[in-house]
Amino acid sequence: MTSQSVSPVATEAALRAKNVSVYYGSALAVRDVNLDIFKHEITAFIGPSGCGKSTLLRCFNRTNDLIPGARVEGKAMFHGTDLYAKDIDPVYVRRRIGMVFQKPNPFTKSIYENIAFAARINGYKGDMDELVENSLRRAALWDEVKDKLRQSGLSLSGGQQQRLCIARTIAIEPEVILMDEPCSALDPISTLQIEELMKELESRYTIVIVTHNMQQASRISDKTAFFNAEATESGNKVGYLVEYGDTEQIFNDPREQATQDYVSGRFG
Amino acid sequence: MTPLSSQATPLDAGWDIEQKQVLKALDRRQGIDKGFSWLALLAVIFSLFVLVVLLVDILIDGVPVLSWNFLTSFPSRRPEAAGIVSALVGTIWVMVLVALFTFPIGVGAGIFLEEFVPDSLIAKAVEINISNLAGVPSIIYGLLGLQVFVRILFPITQGRSVLSGALTLALLVLPIVIIATRESLRSIPGSLRQAGFALGATRWQVIRSHVFPLALPGILTGVILALSRAIGETAPLITIGALTYIPFLPELSLRGLQSPFTVLPIQIFNWVSRPQADFHALAAGAIIVLMVILLLMNATAIYLRNRFQK
């Protein structure tokens, strides 16, 4: 499925899933996913609940490692390197491939410290004040918080907290930002702000976003992957990739009937 | 009560109930509600009553003997000259040592078990064992202390010493500290850990900077509660052979750790078991002192908790 949709333009795959299957304990959660995620593009993962899109996303920065019993088969690759190879330290993977979560999760420290922590642990050598300011500016949050950098990150509104989390992520300049439904806990205005922000960040970062919001996927993404789930005999749901391609094609001219049904709102 | 009028006919015939009946049934339900709250109040009053009776009894007996002399004299055969200084100093010595032993070991073990060990059968077995240890009668710890600290480790502890006593009590309260630490860590949301990991922090960095500071108030409360339990323990110390008559103070040095000792509960036990009423009054006085120390410790716990929560 992947090969059909890859445009011949000389874009480089930043991330590649090769026959990736993920198990939680003995239960298969996602089976046999193959897809390439291209540099400086926004790729959206859409699909009904339980289709494994978040699970797959977490493979790409090894946050699945933190879930007891989770196991990844196949290859998740970053510029050709297997992220699950023996000599790869997951801490280093996460430093290069950042993540923004569904629920804003700022540290219970000051706004300033939220960003400074990320920089400090990764050995940042420059001017911390400057980095904090620049990160907040690039996350379109500076004007709102510049007078209260010493206040707790939790004193901000939900949308501001999420932008703080993004600021914190981009402060350490990862190459890829994985976003797991970053707007699902936010109101429409905050959502719009985050979407605009993502569009601005696209030129510097590769972004993968999991979203339940199809309008959001069609508005911001370059490529879209549609996942679906099927029930197994034991009652578990197993997710699989149905179709992957340019967002326009997925939404206007999908090859698969399931995709057509989903994007037109007939199920999901 | 007046029924609220309504014209709507219910869809389900089962809801066709007179409003008057509804109100009557409601009266009954509210009555049960009230009855239960009275019962609960009764339970509170009963437990408070027992406590107040105890306290008043102790205060009546004990306050007259409280004096500077009482605090600074050694025990004596003559009640009017007897004091608690050796027991008080012994208690302070032992408690400081217990705190020094249990905080790093208990908190360290708690962090390791909660944050570093993957969920496995062994981890579960260890967890169940620790919970069981928290419920083992204290005299058993006394027997263990007698064999291990007093006898086997004699070259280090010099037998029935402050050090042996403190180590025994530390063993006794370690499970409490470990469990409190784990529970406190468990209450910190996982999203905070994920946030740290997603930024390329190691496990220790995440714990050190974000999880531990938030868990600290709960951990401190657990430690102080554990110490409060240790300060009142008599059985294990008697088992390891703490003396009841100590006419000297341990030196404030490493050698002091190896000196024989007594503590307030043992002194109280000793005085209560004498026939003369004068000694009973002394015991009441010592109980008051012990309670004041306990209250001070709890106050410290609350103070620290409030401070760290800011």
Side-chain angles (χ1 to χ4, degrees):
Chain A
M1 275 164 251
T2 322
S3 49
Q4 301 164 347
S5 52
V6 173
S7 42
V9 185
T11 44
E12 195 192 333
L15 294 169
R16 166 172 293 167
K18 230 172 125 185
N19 304 100
V20 168
S21 297
V22 185
Y23 294 82
Y24 291 123
S26 57
L28 181 62
V30 195
R31 71 166 149 78
D32 212 18
V33 175
N34 285 292
L35 95 174
D36 283 3
I37 287 158
F38 295 95
K39 231 175 146 175
H40 301 312
E41 284 191 347
I42 297 178
T43 305
F45 288 0
I46 61 170
S49 300
C51 68
K53 50 199 191 304
S54 292
T55 300
L56 180 69
L57 189 77
R58 284 197 297 268
C59 287
F60 286 126
N61 74 341
R62 296 194 58 173
T63 23
N64 272 339
D65 293 20
L66 305 170
I67 300 169
R71 186 160 51 86
V72 176
E73 276 179 9
K75 276 188 173 158
M77 294 194 287
F78 178 56
H79 293 296
T81 312
D82 182 4
L83 291 170
Y84 286 83
K86 277 227 164 60
D87 60 339
I88 300 286
D89 186 338
V91 171
Y92 182 61
V93 171
R94 296 180 200 124
R95 190 254 167 279
R96 299 287 299 277
I97 303 174
M99 190 158 192
V100 175
F101 296 87
Q102 183 173 5
K103 236 183 100 208
N105 53 359
F107 298 126
T108 50
K109 305 236 154 126
S110 68
I111 294 167
Y112 184 96
E113 194 53 36
N114 258 278
I115 294 166
F117 171 78
R120 210 182 303 121
I121 56 165
N122 287 298
Y124 176 69
K125 286 207 194 92
D127 183 341
M128 192 62 84
D129 291 351
E130 211 177 290
L131 178 73
V132 170
E133 179 175 343
N134 287 340
S135 307
L136 287 169
R137 274 188 198 284
R138 287 193 290 149
L141 188 60
W142 174 251
D143 290 331
E144 292 158 63
V145 301
K146 63 181 175 210
D147 300 321
K148 46 180 183 180
L149 292 176
R150 296 290 161 193
Q151 281 181 29
S152 166
L154 293 171
S155 66
L156 301 173
S157 73
Q160 289 173 325
Q161 287 187 15
Q162 196 62 300
R163 275 179 285 151
L164 176 61
C165 293
I166 294 174
R168 181 173 75 181
T169 304
I170 57 182
I172 61 172
E173 304 200 9
E175 270 182 61
V176 182
I177 304 175
L178 307 175
M179 296 186 165
D180 191 358
E181 297 182 47
C183 302
S184 66
L186 305 182
D187 63 90
I189 293 175
S190 306
T191 300
L192 200 68
Q193 285 171 324
I194 304 262
E195 285 179 14
E196 281 168 4
L197 176 58
M198 286 171 68
K199 274 301 194 193
E200 276 165 40
L201 294 175
E202 190 182 1
S203 61
R204 288 186 62 90
Y205 304 98
T206 306
I207 297 175
V208 188
I209 177 174
V210 165
T211 178
H212 269 124
N213 180 336
M214 276 179 287
Q215 281 80 29
Q216 181 170 62
S218 67
R219 273 196 300 264
I220 57 171
S221 70
D222 302 296
K223 295 227 163 46
T224 297
F226 169 62
F227 292 82
N228 204 349
E230 60 187 9
T232 58
E233 286 158 22
S234 58
N236 286 329
K237 269 187 178 174
V238 178
Y240 62 99
L241 177 64
V242 176
E243 188 170 357
Y244 178 46
D246 289 332
T247 298
E248 217 181 284
Q249 177 253 314
I250 293 284
F251 278 89
N252 298 327
D253 183 24
R255 269 184 291 273
E256 303 286 331
Q257 186 59 39
T259 316
Q260 173 70 46
D261 290 350
Y262 187 76
V263 298
S264 59
R266 234 167 282 163
F267 86 102
Chain B
M1 259 180 283
T2 6
L4 303 166
S5 64
S6 157
Q7 284 97 21
T9 11
L11 285 174
D12 188 309
W15 288 118
D16 195 9
I17 311 166
E18 276 281 332
Q19 287 305 302
K20 277 209 178 113
Q21 274 176 299
V22 170
L23 288 179
K24 225 173 113 191
L26 184 59
D27 265 351
R28 208 170 58 85
R29 284 157 60 201
Q30 294 285 25
I32 293 170
D33 200 274
K34 216 169 249 158
F36 183 77
S37 71
W38 281 109
L39 276 178
L41 181 65
L42 210 65
V44 172
I45 290 174
F46 179 76
S47 48
L48 274 182
F49 179 74
V50 173
L51 195 66
V52 168
V53 168
L54 263 170
L55 273 177
V56 168
D57 188 48
I58 294 291
L59 287 174
I60 290 172
D61 287 351
V63 167
V65 305
L66 288 180
S67 67
W68 187 245
N69 264 340
F70 179 68
L71 292 177
T72 54
S73 303
F74 287 101
S76 161
R77 229 165 293 170
R78 291 173 299 123
E80 57 290 354
I84 54 166
V85 69
S86 49
L88 184 60
V89 171
T91 287
I92 292 170
W93 254 112
V94 170
M95 290 321 294
V96 168
L97 286 179
V98 171
L100 285 180
F101 293 141
T102 46
F103 190 80
I105 298 176
V107 174
I111 290 178
F112 181 75
L113 288 173
E114 191 60 36
E115 302 282 344
F116 286 91
V117 176
D119 248 353
S120 66
L121 224 57
I122 299 173
K124 285 211 176 79
V126 169
E127 182 171 358
I128 291 170
N129 259 307
I130 290 177
S131 305
N132 278 338
L133 282 178
V136 169
S138 58
I139 196 153
I140 308 282
Y141 282 97
L143 291 170
L144 180 75
L146 179 65
Q147 182 60 23
V148 176
F149 301 131
V150 175
R151 295 195 181 137
I152 298 175
L153 293 180
F154 183 83
I156 300 168
T157 60
Q158 293 299 310
R160 299 142 198 254
S161 61
V162 175
L163 191 55
S164 294
L167 285 170
T168 306
L169 289 182
L171 273 191
L172 174 73
V173 299
L174 262 179
I176 305 176
V177 175
I178 294 173
I179 291 170
T181 303
R182 295 191 63 177
E183 249 149 44
S184 194
L185 289 171
R186 211 172 299 164
S187 69
I188 308 303
S191 61
L192 208 66
R193 294 180 181 84
Q194 285 186 341
F197 289 132
L199 292 169
T202 59
R203 208 166 269 275
W204 169 239
Q205 283 170 327
V206 171
I207 295 167
R208 163 73 262 273
S209 306
H210 304 296
V211 179
F212 189 69
L214 287 178
L216 191 56
I219 293 174
L220 281 178
T221 312
V223 170
I224 302 267
L225 280 178
L227 292 180
S228 307
R229 159 123 197 244
I231 202 174
E233 279 297 339
T234 326
L237 295 181
I238 290 180
T239 316
I240 67 160
L243 300 176
T244 48
Y245 178 70
I246 297 283
F248 55 86
L249 295 180
E251 283 175 55
L252 257 180
S253 68
L254 280 179
R255 284 198 58 79
L257 293 179
Q258 299 174 330
S259 80
F261 72 106
T262 191
V263 290
L264 282 168
I266 292 181
Q267 185 67 68
I268 292 166
F269 174 71
N270 174 269
W271 276 335
V272 173
S273 48
R274 297 205 189 186
Q276 300 95 323
D278 286 345
F279 283 114
H280 296 173
L282 289 176
I287 289 172
I288 295 174
V289 174
L290 187 59
M291 270 193 320
V292 168
I293 297 177
L294 205 67
L295 284 177
L296 282 177
M297 279 168 55
N298 285 337
T300 317
I302 293 168
Y303 171 74
L304 287 175
R305 192 169 52 200
N306 291 343
R307 241 191 81 122
F308 281 112
Q309 256 162 5
K310 269 175 204 158

Short mmCIF file of all heavy atoms in Angstrom, two decimals, chain A residues 66 91 94-95 98-99 101 105-109 117-118 121-122 168-169 172, chain B residues 119 191-192 194-203 205-206 209-210 213-214:
data_model
loop_
_atom_site.label_atom_id
_atom_site.label_comp_id
_atom_site.label_asym_id
_atom_site.label_seq_id
_atom_site.Cartn_x
_atom_site.Cartn_y
_atom_site.Cartn_z
N LEU A 66 7.73 1.77 27.85
CA LEU A 66 7.34 2.11 29.22
C LEU A 66 6.08 1.38 29.65
O LEU A 66 5.72 1.40 30.81
CB LEU A 66 7.12 3.62 29.33
CG LEU A 66 8.29 4.49 28.89
CD1 LEU A 66 7.89 5.94 28.81
CD2 LEU A 66 9.45 4.32 29.85
N VAL A 91 16.53 6.34 25.45
CA VAL A 91 16.60 7.73 25.92
C VAL A 91 17.09 8.63 24.79
O VAL A 91 16.57 9.73 24.57
CB VAL A 91 17.53 7.84 27.16
CG1 VAL A 91 17.77 9.29 27.52
CG2 VAL A 91 16.93 7.08 28.33
N ARG A 94 14.34 9.13 22.16
CA ARG A 94 13.31 10.10 22.55
C ARG A 94 13.83 11.53 22.50
O ARG A 94 13.07 12.48 22.36
CB ARG A 94 12.79 9.78 23.95
CG ARG A 94 12.09 8.45 24.00
CD ARG A 94 11.57 8.13 25.38
NE ARG A 94 11.36 6.70 25.48
CZ ARG A 94 11.91 5.93 26.41
NH1 ARG A 94 12.68 6.46 27.34
NH2 ARG A 94 11.68 4.64 26.42
N ARG A 95 15.13 11.67 22.64
CA ARG A 95 15.71 13.00 22.56
C ARG A 95 15.64 13.52 21.13
O ARG A 95 15.49 14.69 20.86
CB ARG A 95 17.16 12.94 23.06
CG ARG A 95 17.84 14.28 23.25
CD ARG A 95 18.84 14.55 22.16
NE ARG A 95 19.27 15.93 22.15
CZ ARG A 95 18.56 16.90 21.60
NH1 ARG A 95 17.38 16.66 21.07
NH2 ARG A 95 19.02 18.13 21.60
N GLY A 98 10.69 13.72 19.49
CA GLY A 98 9.93 14.23 20.63
C GLY A 98 8.47 13.82 20.56
O GLY A 98 8.00 13.30 19.55
N MET A 99 7.77 14.08 21.65
CA MET A 99 6.37 13.67 21.67
C MET A 99 5.53 14.66 22.47
O MET A 99 5.95 15.16 23.51
CB MET A 99 6.24 12.28 22.29
CG MET A 99 4.85 11.69 22.13
SD MET A 99 4.92 9.90 22.27
CE MET A 99 3.30 9.45 21.71
N PHE A 101 1.63 14.91 24.11
CA PHE A 101 0.61 13.94 24.49
C PHE A 101 -0.80 14.50 24.39
O PHE A 101 -1.00 15.71 24.23
CB PHE A 101 0.88 13.44 25.91
CG PHE A 101 2.18 12.70 26.03
CD1 PHE A 101 3.38 13.38 26.27
CD2 PHE A 101 2.22 11.33 25.86
CE1 PHE A 101 4.57 12.70 26.36
CE2 PHE A 101 3.41 10.64 25.95
CZ PHE A 101 4.59 11.33 26.19
N ASN A 105 0.67 17.94 29.68
CA ASN A 105 1.29 17.45 30.90
C ASN A 105 2.53 18.27 31.27
O ASN A 105 3.63 17.74 31.34
CB ASN A 105 1.65 15.97 30.78
CG ASN A 105 2.49 15.66 29.55
OD1 ASN A 105 2.78 16.56 28.77
ND2 ASN A 105 2.88 14.42 29.38
N PRO A 106 2.32 19.58 31.52
CA PRO A 106 3.49 20.36 31.96
C PRO A 106 3.99 19.85 33.31
O PRO A 106 3.22 19.29 34.07
CB PRO A 106 2.93 21.79 32.09
CG PRO A 106 1.47 21.63 32.22
CD PRO A 106 1.10 20.37 31.51
N PHE A 107 5.29 20.03 33.55
CA PHE A 107 5.82 19.69 34.86
C PHE A 107 5.24 20.64 35.88
O PHE A 107 4.90 21.78 35.56
CB PHE A 107 7.35 19.81 34.86
CG PHE A 107 8.01 18.87 33.89
CD1 PHE A 107 8.91 19.35 32.95
CD2 PHE A 107 7.74 17.52 33.92
CE1 PHE A 107 9.52 18.50 32.06
CE2 PHE A 107 8.35 16.66 33.02
CZ PHE A 107 9.25 17.15 32.09
N THR A 108 5.18 20.19 37.14
CA THR A 108 4.65 21.06 38.19
C THR A 108 5.73 22.04 38.63
O THR A 108 6.01 22.17 39.81
CB THR A 108 4.20 20.22 39.39
OG1 THR A 108 5.27 19.34 39.72
CG2 THR A 108 2.98 19.41 39.07
N LYS A 109 6.32 22.70 37.65
CA LYS A 109 7.36 23.70 37.93
C LYS A 109 6.98 24.96 37.17
O LYS A 109 5.97 25.00 36.48
CB LYS A 109 8.71 23.19 37.41
CG LYS A 109 9.07 21.82 37.97
CD LYS A 109 10.41 21.87 38.65
CE LYS A 109 10.48 20.81 39.70
NZ LYS A 109 11.59 19.94 39.59
N PHE A 117 14.41 22.62 32.00
CA PHE A 117 14.71 21.24 32.37
C PHE A 117 15.08 20.42 31.14
O PHE A 117 16.09 19.71 31.11
CB PHE A 117 13.51 20.61 33.08
CG PHE A 117 13.65 19.12 33.30
CD1 PHE A 117 14.43 18.63 34.33
CD2 PHE A 117 13.01 18.22 32.46
CE1 PHE A 117 14.57 17.26 34.53
CE2 PHE A 117 13.15 16.84 32.65
CZ PHE A 117 13.94 16.37 33.69
N ALA A 118 14.22 20.54 30.11
CA ALA A 118 14.45 19.77 28.88
C ALA A 118 15.83 20.08 28.31
O ALA A 118 16.57 19.19 27.88
CB ALA A 118 13.36 20.09 27.86
N ILE A 121 18.96 18.81 30.85
CA ILE A 121 19.29 17.38 30.89
C ILE A 121 19.94 16.93 29.60
O ILE A 121 20.65 15.94 29.57
CB ILE A 121 18.06 16.49 31.18
CG1 ILE A 121 16.97 16.74 30.15
CG2 ILE A 121 17.54 16.67 32.58
CD1 ILE A 121 15.91 15.68 30.13
N ASN A 122 19.68 17.66 28.53
CA ASN A 122 20.28 17.25 27.27
C ASN A 122 21.57 18.00 26.96
O ASN A 122 22.06 18.00 25.83
CB ASN A 122 19.27 17.42 26.13
CG ASN A 122 18.18 16.36 26.20
OD1 ASN A 122 18.46 15.17 26.10
ND2 ASN A 122 16.95 16.78 26.42
N ARG A 168 8.43 23.15 24.98
CA ARG A 168 9.40 22.33 25.69
C ARG A 168 10.01 21.29 24.74
O ARG A 168 11.20 21.01 24.77
CB ARG A 168 8.61 21.65 26.81
CG ARG A 168 9.31 20.77 27.72
CD ARG A 168 8.35 20.36 28.81
NE ARG A 168 7.39 19.36 28.34
CZ ARG A 168 6.42 18.84 29.10
NH1 ARG A 168 6.26 19.24 30.34
NH2 ARG A 168 5.59 17.94 28.62
N THR A 169 9.13 20.75 23.88
CA THR A 169 9.60 19.73 22.94
C THR A 169 10.53 20.34 21.89
O THR A 169 11.58 19.77 21.58
CB THR A 169 8.40 19.06 22.24
OG1 THR A 169 7.54 18.54 23.26
CG2 THR A 169 8.84 17.94 21.32
N ILE A 172 14.48 21.46 22.60
CA ILE A 172 15.65 20.59 22.46
C ILE A 172 15.87 20.20 21.00
O ILE A 172 16.72 19.35 20.70
CB ILE A 172 15.53 19.34 23.36
CG1 ILE A 172 14.32 18.50 22.97
CG2 ILE A 172 15.45 19.73 24.82
CD1 ILE A 172 14.27 17.17 23.70
N ASP B 119 7.24 -5.07 36.32
CA ASP B 119 6.21 -5.89 36.94
C ASP B 119 6.49 -7.35 36.66
O ASP B 119 6.34 -7.82 35.55
CB ASP B 119 4.84 -5.52 36.33
CG ASP B 119 3.97 -4.84 37.35
OD1 ASP B 119 4.39 -4.80 38.53
OD2 ASP B 119 2.90 -4.35 37.00
N SER B 191 1.43 10.54 33.50
CA SER B 191 1.65 11.49 32.40
C SER B 191 2.88 12.36 32.66
O SER B 191 3.56 12.79 31.74
CB SER B 191 0.41 12.38 32.22
OG SER B 191 0.17 13.12 33.39
N LEU B 192 3.16 12.58 33.94
CA LEU B 192 4.32 13.40 34.30
C LEU B 192 5.62 12.67 33.96
O LEU B 192 6.57 13.27 33.46
CB LEU B 192 4.28 13.70 35.79
CG LEU B 192 4.93 14.98 36.21
CD1 LEU B 192 4.18 16.16 35.66
CD2 LEU B 192 4.99 15.06 37.72
N GLN B 194 5.86 10.34 31.65
CA GLN B 194 5.92 10.31 30.18
C GLN B 194 6.49 11.61 29.64
O GLN B 194 7.30 11.61 28.72
CB GLN B 194 4.52 10.12 29.60
CG GLN B 194 4.00 8.70 29.75
CD GLN B 194 2.68 8.52 29.05
OE1 GLN B 194 1.99 9.51 28.76
NE2 GLN B 194 2.34 7.29 28.76
N ALA B 195 6.04 12.73 30.25
CA ALA B 195 6.53 14.03 29.80
C ALA B 195 8.05 14.08 29.89
O ALA B 195 8.73 14.53 28.96
CB ALA B 195 5.91 15.15 30.64
N GLY B 196 8.57 13.59 31.00
CA GLY B 196 10.02 13.61 31.18
C GLY B 196 10.72 12.69 30.18
O GLY B 196 11.67 13.08 29.52
N PHE B 197 10.20 11.47 30.05
CA PHE B 197 10.82 10.51 29.14
C PHE B 197 10.81 11.03 27.70
O PHE B 197 11.78 10.86 26.97
CB PHE B 197 10.10 9.16 29.20
CG PHE B 197 10.33 8.43 30.49
CD1 PHE B 197 9.28 7.89 31.20
CD2 PHE B 197 11.61 8.28 30.99
CE1 PHE B 197 9.49 7.22 32.39
CE2 PHE B 197 11.84 7.61 32.18
CZ PHE B 197 10.77 7.08 32.89
N ALA B 198 9.69 11.67 27.32
CA ALA B 198 9.56 12.13 25.94
C ALA B 198 10.58 13.21 25.61
O ALA B 198 10.82 13.52 24.45
CB ALA B 198 8.15 12.65 25.69
N LEU B 199 11.17 13.82 26.66
CA LEU B 199 12.18 14.86 26.41
C LEU B 199 13.59 14.29 26.48
O LEU B 199 14.56 15.03 26.47
CB LEU B 199 12.03 15.98 27.45
CG LEU B 199 10.76 16.80 27.32
CD1 LEU B 199 10.59 17.68 28.55
CD2 LEU B 199 10.78 17.65 26.07
N GLY B 200 13.68 12.98 26.57
CA GLY B 200 15.01 12.38 26.61
C GLY B 200 15.62 12.39 28.00
O GLY B 200 16.84 12.45 28.14
N ALA B 201 14.79 12.32 29.03
CA ALA B 201 15.32 12.22 30.38
C ALA B 201 15.47 10.75 30.73
O ALA B 201 14.72 9.91 30.25
CB ALA B 201 14.38 12.90 31.37
N THR B 202 16.45 10.45 31.58
CA THR B 202 16.59 9.08 32.05
C THR B 202 15.62 8.89 33.21
O THR B 202 15.04 9.84 33.71
CB THR B 202 18.01 8.81 32.56
OG1 THR B 202 18.29 9.72 33.62
CG2 THR B 202 19.04 8.98 31.47
N ARG B 203 15.48 7.63 33.61
CA ARG B 203 14.55 7.32 34.68
C ARG B 203 14.89 8.12 35.95
O ARG B 203 14.02 8.70 36.59
CB ARG B 203 14.62 5.83 34.97
CG ARG B 203 13.37 5.25 35.51
CD ARG B 203 13.42 3.74 35.44
NE ARG B 203 12.88 3.24 34.20
CZ ARG B 203 11.59 3.02 34.00
NH1 ARG B 203 10.73 3.26 34.95
NH2 ARG B 203 11.14 2.56 32.85
N GLN B 205 16.54 10.91 36.21
CA GLN B 205 16.27 12.35 36.05
C GLN B 205 14.79 12.65 36.23
O GLN B 205 14.41 13.66 36.83
CB GLN B 205 16.75 12.83 34.68
CG GLN B 205 18.25 12.99 34.60
CD GLN B 205 18.75 13.22 33.19
OE1 GLN B 205 18.19 12.70 32.23
NE2 GLN B 205 19.80 14.00 33.06
N VAL B 206 13.95 11.78 35.68
CA VAL B 206 12.51 11.99 35.81
C VAL B 206 12.09 11.90 37.27
O VAL B 206 11.36 12.75 37.78
CB VAL B 206 11.73 10.95 34.97
CG1 VAL B 206 10.25 11.02 35.28
CG2 VAL B 206 11.97 11.16 33.49
N SER B 209 13.78 14.93 39.46
CA SER B 209 13.31 16.29 39.23
C SER B 209 11.80 16.45 39.35
O SER B 209 11.33 17.52 39.70
CB SER B 209 13.72 16.78 37.84
OG SER B 209 15.08 16.64 37.66
N HIS B 210 11.05 15.41 39.02
CA HIS B 210 9.61 15.63 38.92
C HIS B 210 8.77 14.74 39.81
O HIS B 210 7.79 15.20 40.39
CB HIS B 210 9.17 15.47 37.47
CG HIS B 210 9.92 16.37 36.55
ND1 HIS B 210 9.83 17.73 36.64
CD2 HIS B 210 10.81 16.11 35.57
CE1 HIS B 210 10.63 18.27 35.74
NE2 HIS B 210 11.24 17.30 35.09
N PRO B 213 9.96 15.01 44.13
CA PRO B 213 9.54 16.21 44.86
C PRO B 213 8.04 16.22 45.15
O PRO B 213 7.61 16.67 46.20
CB PRO B 213 9.90 17.36 43.92
CG PRO B 213 10.97 16.82 43.06
CD PRO B 213 10.70 15.36 42.90
N LEU B 214 7.24 15.69 44.20
CA LEU B 214 5.79 15.68 44.43
C LEU B 214 5.40 14.61 45.43
O LEU B 214 4.41 14.75 46.14
CB LEU B 214 5.07 15.43 43.11
CG LEU B 214 5.07 16.60 42.12
CD1 LEU B 214 4.36 16.20 40.85
CD2 LEU B 214 4.40 17.80 42.75
#
